[in-house]
Amino acid sequence: NGRNIFYKMLRPELVACYSDPLCSDAFSGWLKNDPQIREHHAEVNAATERLVKNIIPKFVEKLKKIAILDKKRYHSYYLLHCPDCREADQETQGQSSENVKKDDVPPLGFAESSQMTVRMLAKQLASIRHLMHTYGINYRWLGLIRALLCETQHSNICIWKYAALLYTEMTARVCKNIIRALLREKMKELKVPSTE
């Protein structure tokens, strides 16, 4: 799709980090006669490479630190919902995971400090999205972020909840795009003028 240069752009927070401005017309037809076309393309490619190889991995490391604090704060929530956390907890207490019944797992309000509501999860997801933008990362990189996060060994950090939150956001965005495409097709069929 030749139009993707108009919406697959670098975030302003990322572009602002560069002392020399990046060419906003890079990869467009408007530069075909520009003598510096190769330099402009190379600068934008370098910025994208920096985003993928440096900034996104740093963001994932930040997310891991947040996950560590989150598990400490909502420990019983993790015990209830993450089988790996439950198994690790039982092993540290000397119990075999085969001998523990579902009834032995603490309920979701087990400790006052561990209660987790849908509203709290939504706020955490919103703070992740805000943090992504702070780092200069667009939402289209959610798949890469989740893939890097899921490479984490559970023995070190439980990323279960954050991987699920990212997957939820990705799924919602795919559904939104499908619905928009269906609506555009319907508008064409009905010959109604588009606002695009």
Side-chain angles (χ1 to χ4, degrees):
N1 178 356
R3 292 177 49 99
N4 64 7
I5 63 163
F6 299 112
Y7 58 87
K8 287 189 175 178
M9 298 181 277
L10 298 172
R11 287 216 43 93
E13 297 88 345
L14 178 67
V15 174
C17 294
Y18 288 88
S19 56
D20 294 328
L22 297 173
C23 180
S24 60
D25 294 331
F27 300 104
S28 73
W30 296 314
L31 287 184
K32 64 183 174 188
N33 296 323
D34 189 320
Q36 295 181 311
I37 187 169
R38 288 191 176 154
E39 290 86 9
H40 294 316
H41 290 348
E43 289 167 351
V44 172
N45 278 332
T48 303
E49 189 172 326
R50 180 175 166 254
L51 174 69
V52 171
K53 292 185 176 177
N54 299 100
I55 296 171
I56 290 176
K58 284 180 185 173
F59 174 78
V60 170
E61 290 305 313
K62 174 73 172 177
L63 207 51
K64 288 177 186 179
K65 289 177 184 174
I66 293 169
I68 290 169
L69 296 174
D70 190 68
K71 184 180 174 192
K72 287 179 183 176
R73 184 171 183 192
Y74 302 106
H75 184 71
S76 65
Y77 177 83
Y78 280 81
L79 290 179
L80 179 63
H81 294 287
C82 178
D84 292 331
C85 286
R86 191 165 45 247
E87 186 175 322
D89 190 65
Q90 291 159 358
E91 286 174 8
T92 58
Q93 294 180 16
Q95 298 176 325
S96 169
S97 59
E98 291 86 32
N99 298 336
V100 178
K101 302 178 198 115
K102 179 82 170 159
D103 297 339
D104 294 335
V105 177
L108 186 59
F110 175 70
E112 193 63 36
S113 65
S114 68
Q115 290 182 346
M116 181 69 61
T117 65
V118 173
R119 182 174 286 139
M120 290 170 72
L121 291 170
K123 282 183 179 180
Q124 286 181 330
L125 184 55
S127 70
I128 291 170
R129 291 192 314 253
H130 175 74
L131 189 61
M132 284 177 65
H133 284 175
T134 303
Y135 273 70
I137 304 170
N138 283 314
Y139 296 143
R140 71 173 173 274
W141 296 104
L142 281 166
L144 177 60
I145 291 167
R146 187 174 185 276
L148 291 173
L149 190 62
C150 288
E151 290 176 358
T152 306
Q153 295 297 317
H154 189 276
S155 59
N156 303 329
I157 304 166
C158 181
I159 51 87
W160 159 82
K161 184 175 88 173
Y162 288 87
L165 286 172
L166 292 173
Y167 191 75
T168 301
E169 182 69 19
M170 290 162 50
T171 304
R173 290 182 171 278
V174 167
C175 291
K176 175 192 76 171
N177 290 336
I178 290 170
I179 291 168
R180 283 184 175 172
L182 291 170
L183 287 172
R184 277 193 297 273
E185 287 300 314
K186 193 63 172 176
M187 297 296 268
K188 282 182 187 175
E189 183 183 309
L190 296 172
K191 298 184 181 355
V192 176
S194 172
T195 59
E196 289 186 358

